[in-house]
Every structure is written in C-alpha cells, then in structure tokens.
Amino acid sequence: MGAGFLMLREESSDQLTLAFLDVGQGDAVLISKPRQYDLLIDGGPDPIVLSRLSDILPWYDREIDVIFLTHNHADHYQGLLAVLDKYKVGELIVSALAEPLPVELLDSLKRHKLSYTKMPAGTQLQLDQTTKLKALWPVAETPIADMNDRSLVLELVSGERKVWLAGDAGVAVEEALLKNNLVEDVDIFKLSHHGSDTANSEEFLELLRPEWVVAQAGAGNSFGHPNRRIIKRAERVGAQILRNDERGTIVFQTDGREWSYEASK
Ligand SMILES: [Zn+2]
C-alpha cells in the first residue's frame, strides 16, 4: 500500500494531497504538498499514526511544518506525542479555546522546545499561491463548557475546491455556523465526531452538500460510530460515504480543479 501512495505522489508532485489516515477510533488528517509543506491535523489515539504517515511521506521526510490539534481528547492528541518524538515539528496550532492543554502534551512541547499558537475563527493561513486554510470556529471570546464544541473547525480551499474538517464539534456549533451564514457547498466533509448523531445535523449537511463524506472511525468501536442514521442522511444529500474502518487510509489529491482518490482497502 505504501509504495502505491508514494508512487502516486511522485507522479503528480504539484498536486495537493489530503489523506484521512486510518488510525482506528480517532482523527488524523495529513495535508501535504511534496517539497513544500506537510501539515497534520490531529494524531489519533496512539503511535499507529507513525506507520500511517510513513505510508505516505517519503522516508527522508522527517519534518512536519505544522501540527493542528482540534481539541484535547485522547483520540485526537495522544498520537501526536509519538509524532512530536519522531518528527521535527515546526509549530503546534490549537483551538482558541484549547487551554488548558493536556499535561502530557505540555510536557512533550517543553521537551522539544516548542510553543503553541491559538487560532481563533477568521484566522487564515496561506499555504501556497492557491491553497489556504481558515479557522471557522471557535470564536476566542465565547467560553464553551463542552470540550467537543471547542473543536477547531477548518476550511481548506485549494483553487476551486473546498473541504471542511470539523473535529468533534456538535450540533450547537453547526447551529452557530448556520446562523452566521458560513455554511456553503463543499466537496469533502469529514463527518464531525466520527459520524456521531451528536453532530452532522440535517440542515447543516443539506447546505454543505458534500460530494464525499469521510467517517474517521475504528472498526467495531464501542460508540457505534459512524451512526447509521447519519450515513443515511449523508447519502440523502448526495454524498458518497468513505469510512476508514472499511477502506483503510483514504487519500485525495487535487490540482485545484478535480479530485481523485485512492483507498488502501
Ligand atoms: Zn474524537
């Protein structure tokens, strides 16, 4: 599998890669342009993320420019501890409401002499001429009790193509985004909260109208993720469903106009 993905990248080196890594029950998404940048959003629950990264990144690439942590739950940050030990990481970016960070993550940052930056809604990073990553949530000034709802919600735009990654944000966040008229057509949506029915509301999915939804869930997980009703709902709005528990790692590529994708299973 690794060789296949690598070949794919070498053949089309100007393409943006968006990989939904099969890390079991947890989230890990790699955004990469060969020889330009590697960004990792969440790291799954354990060091399995290292072997998933090495399936895609060339062996000599030991740097990750930016790691994003959507929120402080173990199925999102614990794999990052292994990533911080193995890769030279440039920076950690967290949700505007991430503090306090987990102690073991703070310890690791200290050991690796790294600091972190908060990314409030509205902040935008220009990754290359045609690619940018924007935070849609959370707003820094609004305190939220629910950890999932403090998730960093990110919009990736590459040329004419658009992707939303919503961490584990729930229905309340979706309602706030709807109220602010921020929800519009995307190509790919990472189902929020592993496809749970605490998120992915009908109105939200109807406005997003994704061509593909990706469920980052582990085989036989005890939460019943992704929820069967949410899968039906995504199908009803016309989305094709791709699940890490069924397809392994799912790798999309785009030139800014078209998408292609490949799955490891
Ligand atoms: Zn989660």
Side-chain angles (χ1 to χ4, degrees):
M1 155 184 134
F5 283 148
L6 278 178
M7 228 164 345
L8 180 95
R9 272 168 60 89
E10 277 159 18
E11 280 165 12
S12 47
S13 59
D14 57 330
Q15 299 236 339
L16 181 82
T17 296
L18 170 70
F20 296 89
L21 307 177
D22 178 19
V23 292
Q25 182 64 14
D27 275 9
V29 181
L30 178 73
I31 297 172
S32 167
K33 237 182 196 183
R35 290 178 297 281
Q36 292 192 51
Y37 49 81
D38 299 316
L39 316 178
L40 179 65
I41 301 164
D42 291 338
D46 57 43
I48 191 83
V49 66
L50 294 181
S51 84
R52 299 300 181 247
L53 283 170
S54 65
D55 287 338
I56 295 179
L57 298 174
W59 62 269
Y60 52 81
D61 187 353
R62 301 296 290 269
E63 286 183 38
I64 291 178
D65 302 273
V66 187
I67 287 179
F68 296 83
L69 174 60
T70 60
H71 65 298
N72 301 341
H73 279 156
D75 55 325
H76 297 255
Y77 84 80
Q78 274 186 333
L80 293 178
L81 303 172
V83 174
L84 285 162
D85 284 340
K86 178 166 175 191
Y87 286 85
K88 185 171 180 291
V89 174
E91 195 183 355
L92 174 70
I93 293 183
V94 299
S95 151
L97 299 175
E99 287 166 328
L101 290 182
V103 173
E104 51 184 338
L105 180 58
L106 287 172
D107 285 347
S108 170
L109 291 178
K110 203 169 172 187
R111 225 172 34 248
H112 297 290
K113 299 188 171 49
L114 273 175
S115 58
Y116 64 88
T117 311
K118 290 187 274 183
M119 187 178 187
T123 315
Q124 184 168 289
L125 302 175
Q126 193 79 35
L127 305 181
D128 61 53
Q129 274 192 337
T130 55
T131 310
K132 57 196 176 186
L133 191 63
K134 184 177 174 183
L136 301 171
W137 187 266
V139 182
E141 297 79 35
T142 318
I144 299 172
D146 186 296
M147 177 70 81
N148 287 330
D149 288 349
R150 294 188 217 164
S151 284
L152 190 56
V153 177
L154 294 167
E155 177 182 82
L156 173 71
V157 176
S158 187
E160 298 156 22
R161 308 274 55 100
K162 193 180 280 185
V163 179
W164 271 32
L165 307 163
D168 284 358
V171 171
V173 174
E174 294 171 0
E175 278 168 3
L177 294 171
L178 285 164
K179 206 172 124 202
N180 292 322
N181 293 316
L182 287 168
V183 188
E184 48 185 36
D185 245 36
V186 302
D187 305 311
I188 302 167
F189 177 55
K190 183 204 75 73
L191 283 175
S192 189
H193 199 186
H194 322 286
S196 162
D197 64 354
T198 58
N200 310 295
S201 62
E202 186 118 42
E203 196 187 355
F204 187 66
L205 286 186
E206 272 170 8
L207 279 178
L208 280 179
R209 287 170 42 88
E211 197 164 333
W212 293 277
V213 296
V214 177
Q216 293 220 277
N221 71 79
S222 56
F223 308 100
H225 293 159
N227 183 286
R228 209 174 303 149
R229 286 191 305 128
I230 299 302
I231 294 299
K232 286 254 157 61
R233 191 176 287 170
E235 281 169 351
R236 268 204 306 280
V237 303
Q240 187 181 337
I241 322 293
L242 293 168
R243 304 168 51 155
N244 286 124
D245 59 343
E246 293 177 352
R247 306 298 306 275
T249 289
I250 299 151
V251 182
F252 283 88
Q253 288 200 305
T254 187
D255 57 4
R257 291 183 296 275
E258 312 277 344
W259 288 106
S260 60
Y261 77 89
E262 222 194 342
S264 68
K265 283 196 233 168

